[in-house]
PDB file of all heavy atoms in Angstrom:
ATOM      1  N   LEU A 161       4.581  16.089  12.331  1.00  0.00           N
ATOM      2  CA  LEU A 161       5.323  15.206  13.227  1.00  0.00           C
ATOM      3  C   LEU A 161       4.385  14.245  13.957  1.00  0.00           C
ATOM      4  O   LEU A 161       4.649  13.044  14.036  1.00  0.00           O
ATOM      5  CB  LEU A 161       6.137  16.029  14.232  1.00  0.00           C
ATOM      6  CG  LEU A 161       6.998  15.256  15.218  1.00  0.00           C
ATOM      7  CD1 LEU A 161       8.007  14.364  14.493  1.00  0.00           C
ATOM      8  CD2 LEU A 161       7.722  16.219  16.148  1.00  0.00           C
ATOM      9  N   ILE A 162       3.286  14.764  14.461  1.00  0.00           N
ATOM     10  CA  ILE A 162       2.325  13.908  15.178  1.00  0.00           C
ATOM     11  C   ILE A 162       1.770  12.841  14.242  1.00  0.00           C
ATOM     12  O   ILE A 162       1.692  11.660  14.600  1.00  0.00           O
ATOM     13  CB  ILE A 162       1.193  14.755  15.793  1.00  0.00           C
ATOM     14  CG1 ILE A 162       1.748  15.648  16.907  1.00  0.00           C
ATOM     15  CG2 ILE A 162       0.068  13.862  16.326  1.00  0.00           C
ATOM     16  CD1 ILE A 162       0.769  16.696  17.404  1.00  0.00           C
ATOM     17  N   PHE A 163       1.388  13.238  13.028  1.00  0.00           N
ATOM     18  CA  PHE A 163       0.822  12.267  12.102  1.00  0.00           C
ATOM     19  C   PHE A 163       1.826  11.186  11.726  1.00  0.00           C
ATOM     20  O   PHE A 163       1.496   9.997  11.724  1.00  0.00           O
ATOM     21  CB  PHE A 163       0.296  12.935  10.831  1.00  0.00           C
ATOM     22  CG  PHE A 163      -0.106  11.910   9.808  1.00  0.00           C
ATOM     23  CD1 PHE A 163      -1.275  11.190   9.969  1.00  0.00           C
ATOM     24  CD2 PHE A 163       0.704  11.621   8.729  1.00  0.00           C
ATOM     25  CE1 PHE A 163      -1.632  10.201   9.064  1.00  0.00           C
ATOM     26  CE2 PHE A 163       0.364  10.648   7.815  1.00  0.00           C
ATOM     27  CZ  PHE A 163      -0.815   9.935   7.974  1.00  0.00           C
ATOM     28  N   THR A 164       3.050  11.574  11.389  1.00  0.00           N
ATOM     29  CA  THR A 164       4.025  10.556  10.990  1.00  0.00           C
ATOM     30  C   THR A 164       4.328   9.607  12.145  1.00  0.00           C
ATOM     31  O   THR A 164       4.489   8.404  11.931  1.00  0.00           O
ATOM     32  CB  THR A 164       5.327  11.173  10.423  1.00  0.00           C
ATOM     33  OG1 THR A 164       5.862  12.116  11.347  1.00  0.00           O
ATOM     34  CG2 THR A 164       5.073  11.835   9.075  1.00  0.00           C
ATOM     35  N   GLU A 165       4.368  10.126  13.367  1.00  0.00           N
ATOM     36  CA  GLU A 165       4.578   9.246  14.522  1.00  0.00           C
ATOM     37  C   GLU A 165       3.405   8.292  14.675  1.00  0.00           C
ATOM     38  O   GLU A 165       3.583   7.095  14.912  1.00  0.00           O
ATOM     39  CB  GLU A 165       4.777  10.067  15.804  1.00  0.00           C
ATOM     40  CG  GLU A 165       5.234   9.232  16.997  1.00  0.00           C
ATOM     41  CD  GLU A 165       4.137   8.459  17.713  1.00  0.00           C
ATOM     42  OE1 GLU A 165       2.958   8.860  17.640  1.00  0.00           O
ATOM     43  OE2 GLU A 165       4.452   7.422  18.347  1.00  0.00           O
ATOM     44  N   GLN A 166       2.191   8.778  14.523  1.00  0.00           N
ATOM     45  CA  GLN A 166       1.018   7.918  14.676  1.00  0.00           C
ATOM     46  C   GLN A 166       0.902   6.893  13.549  1.00  0.00           C
ATOM     47  O   GLN A 166       0.482   5.767  13.783  1.00  0.00           O
ATOM     48  CB  GLN A 166      -0.255   8.761  14.777  1.00  0.00           C
ATOM     49  CG  GLN A 166      -0.437   9.409  16.128  1.00  0.00           C
ATOM     50  CD  GLN A 166      -0.528   8.391  17.250  1.00  0.00           C
ATOM     51  OE1 GLN A 166      -1.430   7.545  17.287  1.00  0.00           O
ATOM     52  NE2 GLN A 166       0.420   8.448  18.180  1.00  0.00           N
ATOM     53  N   LEU A 167       1.288   7.273  12.341  1.00  0.00           N
ATOM     54  CA  LEU A 167       1.293   6.300  11.249  1.00  0.00           C
ATOM     55  C   LEU A 167       2.317   5.204  11.528  1.00  0.00           C
ATOM     56  O   LEU A 167       2.030   4.017  11.355  1.00  0.00           O
ATOM     57  CB  LEU A 167       1.593   6.989   9.913  1.00  0.00           C
ATOM     58  CG  LEU A 167       1.600   6.085   8.684  1.00  0.00           C
ATOM     59  CD1 LEU A 167       0.266   5.367   8.510  1.00  0.00           C
ATOM     60  CD2 LEU A 167       1.945   6.897   7.433  1.00  0.00           C
ATOM     61  N   TYR A 168       3.493   5.594  11.994  1.00  0.00           N
ATOM     62  CA  TYR A 168       4.502   4.600  12.360  1.00  0.00           C
ATOM     63  C   TYR A 168       3.977   3.702  13.486  1.00  0.00           C
ATOM     64  O   TYR A 168       4.134   2.484  13.450  1.00  0.00           O
ATOM     65  CB  TYR A 168       5.810   5.263  12.774  1.00  0.00           C
ATOM     66  CG  TYR A 168       6.810   4.264  13.290  1.00  0.00           C
ATOM     67  CD1 TYR A 168       7.406   3.343  12.439  1.00  0.00           C
ATOM     68  CD2 TYR A 168       7.124   4.210  14.648  1.00  0.00           C
ATOM     69  CE1 TYR A 168       8.297   2.391  12.915  1.00  0.00           C
ATOM     70  CE2 TYR A 168       8.018   3.264  15.126  1.00  0.00           C
ATOM     71  CZ  TYR A 168       8.601   2.355  14.260  1.00  0.00           C
ATOM     72  OH  TYR A 168       9.465   1.409  14.743  1.00  0.00           O
ATOM     73  N   ARG A 169       3.335   4.293  14.472  1.00  0.00           N
ATOM     74  CA  ARG A 169       2.792   3.521  15.593  1.00  0.00           C
ATOM     75  C   ARG A 169       1.752   2.519  15.089  1.00  0.00           C
ATOM     76  O   ARG A 169       1.759   1.348  15.474  1.00  0.00           O
ATOM     77  CB  ARG A 169       2.178   4.459  16.636  1.00  0.00           C
ATOM     78  CG  ARG A 169       1.671   3.745  17.891  1.00  0.00           C
ATOM     79  CD  ARG A 169       1.186   4.744  18.935  1.00  0.00           C
ATOM     80  NE  ARG A 169       2.246   5.590  19.410  1.00  0.00           N
ATOM     81  CZ  ARG A 169       3.049   5.298  20.430  1.00  0.00           C
ATOM     82  NH1 ARG A 169       2.899   4.157  21.095  1.00  0.00           N
ATOM     83  NH2 ARG A 169       3.995   6.133  20.804  1.00  0.00           N
ATOM     84  N   ALA A 170       0.853   2.957  14.208  1.00  0.00           N
ATOM     85  CA  ALA A 170      -0.172   2.058  13.672  1.00  0.00           C
ATOM     86  C   ALA A 170       0.467   0.897  12.905  1.00  0.00           C
ATOM     87  O   ALA A 170       0.057  -0.260  13.059  1.00  0.00           O
ATOM     88  CB  ALA A 170      -1.122   2.838  12.764  1.00  0.00           C
ATOM     89  N   LEU A 171       1.461   1.200  12.100  1.00  0.00           N
ATOM     90  CA  LEU A 171       2.146   0.144  11.349  1.00  0.00           C
ATOM     91  C   LEU A 171       2.891  -0.810  12.282  1.00  0.00           C
ATOM     92  O   LEU A 171       2.945  -2.021  12.035  1.00  0.00           O
ATOM     93  CB  LEU A 171       3.091   0.762  10.324  1.00  0.00           C
ATOM     94  CG  LEU A 171       2.391   1.496   9.177  1.00  0.00           C
ATOM     95  CD1 LEU A 171       3.383   2.371   8.419  1.00  0.00           C
ATOM     96  CD2 LEU A 171       1.703   0.508   8.244  1.00  0.00           C
ATOM     97  N   SER A 172       3.457  -0.269  13.353  1.00  0.00           N
ATOM     98  CA  SER A 172       4.138  -1.110  14.342  1.00  0.00           C
ATOM     99  C   SER A 172       3.143  -2.054  15.010  1.00  0.00           C
ATOM    100  O   SER A 172       3.437  -3.233  15.224  1.00  0.00           O
ATOM    101  CB  SER A 172       4.812  -0.241  15.410  1.00  0.00           C
ATOM    102  OG  SER A 172       5.846   0.512  14.844  1.00  0.00           O
ATOM    103  N   ILE A 173       1.967  -1.545  15.339  1.00  0.00           N
ATOM    104  CA  ILE A 173       0.919  -2.376  15.949  1.00  0.00           C
ATOM    105  C   ILE A 173       0.521  -3.484  14.976  1.00  0.00           C
ATOM    106  O   ILE A 173       0.437  -4.658  15.356  1.00  0.00           O
ATOM    107  CB  ILE A 173      -0.294  -1.513  16.344  1.00  0.00           C
ATOM    108  CG1 ILE A 173       0.070  -0.588  17.513  1.00  0.00           C
ATOM    109  CG2 ILE A 173      -1.500  -2.392  16.707  1.00  0.00           C
ATOM    110  CD1 ILE A 173      -0.947   0.517  17.790  1.00  0.00           C
ATOM    111  N   LEU A 174       0.285  -3.114  13.719  1.00  0.00           N
ATOM    112  CA  LEU A 174      -0.126  -4.108  12.718  1.00  0.00           C
ATOM    113  C   LEU A 174       0.925  -5.184  12.503  1.00  0.00           C
ATOM    114  O   LEU A 174       0.595  -6.322  12.160  1.00  0.00           O
ATOM    115  CB  LEU A 174      -0.413  -3.413  11.377  1.00  0.00           C
ATOM    116  CG  LEU A 174      -1.702  -2.611  11.304  1.00  0.00           C
ATOM    117  CD1 LEU A 174      -1.764  -1.831   9.993  1.00  0.00           C
ATOM    118  CD2 LEU A 174      -2.914  -3.512  11.450  1.00  0.00           C
ATOM    119  N   ASN A 175       2.183  -4.830  12.706  1.00  0.00           N
ATOM    120  CA  ASN A 175       3.275  -5.777  12.481  1.00  0.00           C
ATOM    121  C   ASN A 175       3.795  -6.427  13.759  1.00  0.00           C
ATOM    122  O   ASN A 175       4.844  -7.068  13.748  1.00  0.00           O
ATOM    123  CB  ASN A 175       4.409  -5.074  11.725  1.00  0.00           C
ATOM    124  CG  ASN A 175       4.041  -4.847  10.278  1.00  0.00           C
ATOM    125  OD1 ASN A 175       4.142  -5.747   9.456  1.00  0.00           O
ATOM    126  ND2 ASN A 175       3.560  -3.647   9.958  1.00  0.00           N
ATOM    127  N   GLY A 176       3.079  -6.240  14.859  1.00  0.00           N
ATOM    128  CA  GLY A 176       3.443  -6.900  16.112  1.00  0.00           C
ATOM    129  C   GLY A 176       4.744  -6.422  16.723  1.00  0.00           C
ATOM    130  O   GLY A 176       5.383  -7.156  17.477  1.00  0.00           O
ATOM    131  N   MET A 177       5.136  -5.210  16.424  1.00  0.00           N
ATOM    132  CA  MET A 177       6.377  -4.654  16.969  1.00  0.00           C
ATOM    133  C   MET A 177       6.125  -4.125  18.387  1.00  0.00           C
ATOM    134  O   MET A 177       5.016  -3.744  18.721  1.00  0.00           O
ATOM    135  CB  MET A 177       6.888  -3.523  16.080  1.00  0.00           C
ATOM    136  CG  MET A 177       7.072  -3.917  14.611  1.00  0.00           C
ATOM    137  SD  MET A 177       8.317  -5.158  14.334  1.00  0.00           S
ATOM    138  CE  MET A 177       9.778  -4.223  14.640  1.00  0.00           C
ATOM    139  N   PRO A 178       7.157  -4.043  19.208  1.00  0.00           N
ATOM    140  CA  PRO A 178       6.981  -3.625  20.590  1.00  0.00           C
ATOM    141  C   PRO A 178       6.934  -2.105  20.803  1.00  0.00           C
ATOM    142  O   PRO A 178       6.963  -1.641  21.925  1.00  0.00           O
ATOM    143  CB  PRO A 178       8.226  -4.212  21.290  1.00  0.00           C
ATOM    144  CG  PRO A 178       9.257  -4.251  20.214  1.00  0.00           C
ATOM    145  CD  PRO A 178       8.512  -4.542  18.941  1.00  0.00           C
ATOM    146  N   TYR A 179       6.833  -1.311  19.742  1.00  0.00           N
ATOM    147  CA  TYR A 179       6.848   0.160  19.884  1.00  0.00           C
ATOM    148  C   TYR A 179       5.672   0.660  20.732  1.00  0.00           C
ATOM    149  O   TYR A 179       5.822   1.550  21.540  1.00  0.00           O
ATOM    150  CB  TYR A 179       6.797   0.785  18.484  1.00  0.00           C
ATOM    151  CG  TYR A 179       6.863   2.297  18.470  1.00  0.00           C
ATOM    152  CD1 TYR A 179       8.060   2.965  18.739  1.00  0.00           C
ATOM    153  CD2 TYR A 179       5.737   3.070  18.194  1.00  0.00           C
ATOM    154  CE1 TYR A 179       8.133   4.345  18.726  1.00  0.00           C
ATOM    155  CE2 TYR A 179       5.811   4.449  18.168  1.00  0.00           C
ATOM    156  CZ  TYR A 179       6.996   5.081  18.439  1.00  0.00           C
ATOM    157  OH  TYR A 179       7.070   6.449  18.424  1.00  0.00           O
ATOM    158  N   HIS A 180       4.496   0.065  20.535  1.00  0.00           N
ATOM    159  CA  HIS A 180       3.294   0.504  21.265  1.00  0.00           C
ATOM    160  C   HIS A 180       3.100  -0.362  22.509  1.00  0.00           C
ATOM    161  O   HIS A 180       3.168  -1.573  22.441  1.00  0.00           O
ATOM    162  CB  HIS A 180       2.059   0.388  20.355  1.00  0.00           C
ATOM    163  CG  HIS A 180       0.798   0.813  21.015  1.00  0.00           C
ATOM    164  ND1 HIS A 180       0.476   2.148  21.196  1.00  0.00           N
ATOM    165  CD2 HIS A 180      -0.196   0.107  21.563  1.00  0.00           C
ATOM    166  CE1 HIS A 180      -0.688   2.233  21.816  1.00  0.00           C
ATOM    167  NE2 HIS A 180      -1.115   0.996  22.039  1.00  0.00           N
TER     168      HIS A 180
END
Side-chain angles (χ1 to χ4, degrees):
L161 182 58
I162 293 170
F163 172 75
T164 53
E165 190 280 336
Q166 283 300 299
L167 181 58
Y168 174 69
R169 184 175 296 272
L171 292 165
S172 294
I173 291 167
L174 286 172
N175 287 279
M177 305 296 288
Y179 182 73
H180 180 77

